[in-house]
Amino acid sequence: KGRMRAQQAPNTSLYGFWFHWNRPPLDNPKVRRAIYLAIDRQEIVQTAVGGAGTIAGMFPPGFTETIEERRQLPGYRQIKDQDLAEAKKLLAEAGLSGGFKLIFNVDQSKVSRTEAELIAAQLKKLGIQVTLQSADRATFYAQLRDGNHDLSTIGSGLYFNEPETILDQFFALDNLRNPHDWQHPRITALMDLQGKEQNPAVRLEMFKEASRIFDQGESHYVPTFWTNAGGSLDYRLQNFKPPYHPHTIWKWEHVWFDPNAPLPK
C-alpha cells in the first residue's frame, strides 16, 4: 500500500569470468581474445538478470566511454558475426580450430550459474566444450585460488564510486582475483600513476588508456556486465542512501525514523 519504497544504487557490481591464464591453451593470448570476442553479453544480461544490467568493460558504465560507444566495440556489439569470425581466425592461428575442452568453476548463486551456462553454450560456437563444476561459495573460492579449473565465475562490487577499486581487486599481484599474477607493464605503470595524479582530467585519460588495453581481451579477466544493488525500505526511514556495497553500511548516524513522515504519492 505504498509504505515500502524501492531503492537502487546503479552499476555497483561487475560480473565476468576469470582465466587460469598461465597454462595451455589459455596461456596463448590469442585464445583468450577469441573467447573474449565470442561472448554475447547482451544475452547474458537479458537472461541472467532479466535485463537489469548494463553492458560495460572493466570500469563502471559511462566512465571511460559512453554506453553507446561501448556497445560498438568488438566483443560488445550485438551482431556477433564479425566477432565470431575473428574468434575462429584467432583459434586457427593458435592451432586450435578443432576445438578443445575447458572446466568451469562456478558458485551456486542463481546469477553466476545462469551466466556460466550461457557462456558454455556460446563457446560451443567455437568448438569449445565447457564442463561446469558447481560448488558452495567457500569451496568455489578455494578452487579459484588453488584449483585446476580453466575458468571461474568471479565478479565484485565497488565499495565506493571509484574505479581504482577495480584495478586494486583484479590487477594487483598476489590477489584472490588475480591468483596467478597476470600483469601488463603499462597497466602496472598506470596503476601507480593514477594514484598520484591530482588532476581529474589527466587521471581520466589514464583510465581510458587502461580501458583500451583491457579491451584487447588478453588479460586474465573477461567482464560481461554491470548490475545494480537494490532493496526496499519503509518510507518513514529518512535520509537513507543506497550504498555501493553492503560492507559500507556500518554507521547509521545520518539515518533516522520519522513516524510522522507523510506517505509519498
Side-chain angles (χ1 to χ4, degrees):
K1 299 180 180 180
R3 289 189 291 267
M4 298 300 292
R5 316 301 294 179
Q7 289 258 358
Q8 274 197 332
N11 301 320
T12 62
S13 300
L14 170 64
Y15 276 84
F17 61 97
W18 160 96
F19 291 127
H20 195 150
W21 69 273
N22 59 349
R23 65 178 192 172
L26 299 175
D27 59 337
N28 188 329
K30 290 185 177 181
V31 176
R32 298 197 297 273
R33 176 165 173 77
I35 293 173
Y36 175 95
L37 289 171
I39 299 304
D40 187 336
R41 291 161 173 83
Q42 186 62 45
E43 181 184 33
I44 293 171
V45 166
Q46 292 301 322
T47 306
V49 292
T54 305
I55 294 173
M58 285 302 308
F59 299 120
F63 181 70
T64 53
E65 68 285 310
T66 68
I67 293 172
E68 186 56 37
E69 286 170 341
R70 169 61 51 178
R71 289 175 176 169
Q72 306 305 315
L73 295 177
Y76 294 84
R77 50 197 172 189
Q78 180 52 34
I79 299 176
K80 299 297 297 180
D81 294 351
Q82 188 174 346
D83 288 340
L84 289 170
E86 176 65 18
K88 291 175 182 178
K89 177 183 175 183
L90 289 166
L91 291 183
E93 292 173 358
L96 293 167
S97 56
F100 51 92
K101 296 180 180 180
L102 297 174
I103 298 174
F104 205 161
N105 176 36
V106 184
D107 75 59
Q108 294 177 339
S109 73
K110 182 177 184 297
V111 173
S112 294
R113 177 77 189 196
T114 304
E115 179 188 31
E117 290 171 349
L118 290 167
I119 291 167
Q122 292 169 4
L123 293 183
K124 284 184 179 179
K125 296 176 182 178
L126 301 182
I128 302 173
Q129 302 299 314
V130 179
T131 300
L132 272 57
Q133 292 190 357
S134 180
D136 63 84
R137 184 61 64 91
T139 303
F140 164 82
Y141 273 116
Q143 291 177 165
L144 171 69
R145 185 187 63 238
D146 303 325
N148 293 318
H149 298 82
D150 302 292
L151 307 173
S152 286
T153 53
I154 187 72
S156 187
L158 296 187
Y159 286 94
F160 48 93
N161 190 12
E162 167 50 60
E164 184 179 1
T165 62
I166 291 295
L167 295 177
D168 291 343
Q169 290 185 73
F170 287 91
F171 300 101
L173 302 184
D174 192 24
N175 187 348
L176 175 64
R177 288 174 171 79
N178 189 11
H180 298 100
D181 289 344
W182 182 89
Q183 56 185 312
H184 183 288
R186 185 56 182 163
I187 292 296
T188 300
L190 289 168
M191 288 173 68
D192 180 61
L193 290 169
Q194 65 79 32
K196 300 173 181 177
E197 180 57 56
Q198 297 186 44
N199 184 324
V202 174
R203 189 167 181 257
L204 176 58
E205 291 304 314
M206 294 177 182
F207 281 109
K208 288 182 177 181
E209 182 182 351
S211 184
R212 289 192 292 270
I213 294 171
F214 295 139
D215 288 342
Q216 296 304 307
E218 297 179 359
S219 84
H220 71 295
Y221 190 72
V222 178
T224 52
F225 67 96
W226 286 73
T227 191
N228 309 326
S232 61
L233 67 157
D234 191 296
Y235 74 94
R236 292 164 292 186
L237 191 65
Q238 304 294 301
N239 203 41
F240 176 80
K241 301 293 189 292
Y244 265 80
H245 195 283
H247 293 176
T248 60
I249 315 178
W250 286 340
K251 296 182 179 180
W252 297 88
E253 292 92 336
H254 60 290
V255 176
W256 69 93
F257 190 83
D258 181 0
N260 299 314
L263 182 67
K265 293 182 179 180

